[in-house]
């Protein structure tokens, strides 16, 4: 879906939907977002808009037993006393890493210095201008020791499993895959108010949602999670249950 400042181009989507017998989206919030673009024929809105959640691969995306998780963190170079935050996304403006580095990282450094953010996703600052600006911003904000640019990995589930929280400070989403995969791995999520975040995280009490663009509250929410292990455990248990209930292949195939 579009970012809040972009809105919905009703004319464009009405033209598109006019040729459809059915529209499928990824969540109820997306269904509501596109609802006004349904064309009207003989006084009745059409076409119907339905939602089907994405499927998660539970063979890969699953929590680890504590000893295996500790061993994995050692393999990935995450110190035992570090509160590890995963930012799982390729580097581009929509995913908003640059604003996170400039605005959230300095606040997080102040309110919880033991936190470290691990950026996992395609990352080539030598050839990609956006990635390069993120590195330069980390240096300018003096937060380099608190940020780790991991780059692309085929085994992304290892980072979901090893991190203490996943952050989604993006400008726009549909149903963020990193959100539902993190929940399946038992990792709580803190997200800006993008599409589907409240529907999943708040409704099923498995994470926290922050007003779009409020980096101070984003940092505070992450710090609260870091300081409250019982809350993290509660979110983790409810997140895995939620993921199994909503994002299984059987459920999605049935719909």
């Amino acid at each position: 879906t579009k970012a809040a400042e972009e809105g919905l181009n009703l004319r464009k989507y009405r033209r598109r939907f006019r040729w459809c017998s059915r529209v499928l989206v990824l969540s109820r919030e997306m269904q509501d977002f596109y609802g006004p673009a349904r064309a009207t024929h003989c006084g009745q809105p059409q076409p119907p808009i339905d939602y089907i959640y994405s499927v998660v691969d539970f063979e890969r995306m699953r929590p680890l037993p504590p000893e295996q998780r500790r061993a994995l963190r050692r393999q990935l170079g995450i110190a035992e006393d570090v509160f590890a935050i995963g930012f799982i996304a390729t580097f581009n403006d929509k995913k908003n890493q640059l604003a996170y580095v400039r605005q959230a990282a300095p606040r997080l450094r102040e309110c919880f210095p033991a936190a470290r953010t691990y950026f996992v996703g395609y990352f080539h600052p030598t050839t990609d201008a956006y990635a390069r600006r993120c590195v330069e911003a980390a240096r300018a904000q003096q937060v380099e020791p608190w940020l780790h640019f991991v780059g692309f990995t085929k085994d992304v589930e290892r980072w979901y499993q090893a991190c203490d929280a996943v952050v989604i400070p993006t400008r726009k989403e549909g149903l963020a895959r990193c959100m539902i995969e993190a929940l399946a791995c038992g990792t709580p999520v803190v997200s800006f108010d993008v599409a589907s975040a409240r529907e999943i995280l708040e409704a099923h009490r498995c994470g926290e949602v922050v007003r779009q663009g409020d980096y101070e509250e984003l940092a505070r929410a992450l710090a609260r999670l870091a300081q409250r292990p019982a809350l993290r455990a509660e979110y983790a248990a409810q997140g895995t249950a939620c993921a199994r209930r909503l994002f299984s292949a059987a459920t999605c195939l049935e719909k």
Side-chain angles (χ1 to χ4, degrees):
T1 59
K2 304 298 182 183
E5 67 270 17
E6 293 177 281
L8 177 65
N9 186 329
L10 286 174
R11 178 178 294 183
K12 179 174 76 171
Y13 279 94
R14 279 175 178 156
R15 283 201 306 268
R16 291 178 175 183
F17 289 176
R18 187 160 53 95
W19 301 104
C20 300
S21 55
R22 181 162 302 228
V23 175
L24 286 174
V25 293
L26 294 174
S27 72
R28 188 178 63 251
E29 285 186 20
M30 292 182 72
Q31 182 186 49
D32 293 342
F33 179 84
Y34 286 105
R38 295 171 68 193
T40 301
H41 180 69
C42 298
Q44 295 297 318
Q46 60 176 9
I49 300 177
D50 297 315
Y51 70 90
I52 301 176
Y53 290 135
S54 299
V55 173
V56 169
D57 178 359
F58 296 114
E59 290 295 315
R60 294 178 62 196
M61 306 297 167
R62 54 186 175 81
L64 291 181
E67 188 52 47
Q68 288 186 29
R69 184 173 179 271
R70 283 192 290 270
L72 175 60
R73 283 171 67 100
R74 288 194 295 269
Q75 290 173 21
L76 296 176
I78 303 174
E80 193 172 331
D81 60 346
V82 158
F83 182 75
I85 302 166
F87 192 141
I88 318 292
T90 191
F91 274 73
N92 61 50
D93 182 61
K94 182 178 80 170
K95 296 302 183 183
N96 218 25
Q97 288 95 343
L98 183 58
Y100 180 89
V101 171
R102 286 174 172 169
Q103 300 187 57
R107 291 175 166 89
L108 197 54
R109 177 191 60 195
E110 297 302 320
C111 65
F112 200 80
R116 301 289 185 274
T117 302
Y118 297 84
F119 295 91
V120 182
Y122 185 84
F123 176 73
H124 285 281
T126 54
T127 56
D128 181 76
Y130 186 81
R132 187 163 56 251
R133 288 169 66 198
C134 291
V135 174
E136 292 167 352
R139 191 175 303 123
Q141 295 293 330
Q142 300 181 334
V143 291
E144 286 178 288
W146 287 267
L147 306 178
H148 299 270
F149 298 101
V150 176
F152 174 80
T153 175
K154 292 181 180 179
D155 303 319
V156 67
E157 67 273 15
R158 287 159 55 87
W159 287 95
Y160 290 130
Q161 293 161 340
C163 285
D164 299 292
V166 163
V167 66
I168 306 176
T170 51
R171 294 178 55 247
K172 52 186 175 181
E173 296 286 347
L175 176 68
R177 175 153 290 278
C178 63
M179 174 175 69
I180 64 178
E181 290 182 342
L183 297 180
C185 291
T187 305
V189 176
V190 176
S191 175
F192 274 161
D193 190 9
V194 291
S196 313
R198 294 194 185 278
E199 178 177 343
I200 303 301
L201 299 179
E202 288 192 344
H204 300 277
R205 193 165 167 72
C206 49
E208 301 197 8
V209 181
V210 174
R211 183 171 58 89
Q212 178 65 237
D214 191 342
Y215 292 94
E216 187 167 339
E217 180 54 31
L218 186 76
R220 282 201 296 262
L222 289 165
R224 278 197 302 273
L225 272 185
Q227 294 160 345
R228 298 174 64 186
L231 180 61
R232 292 204 308 276
E234 180 186 342
Y235 283 166
Q238 290 173 167
T240 51
C242 164
R244 291 276 176 176
R245 190 167 60 250
L246 299 183
F247 311 124
S248 72
T251 299
C252 297
L253 283 168
E254 183 181 355
K255 293 197 75 170

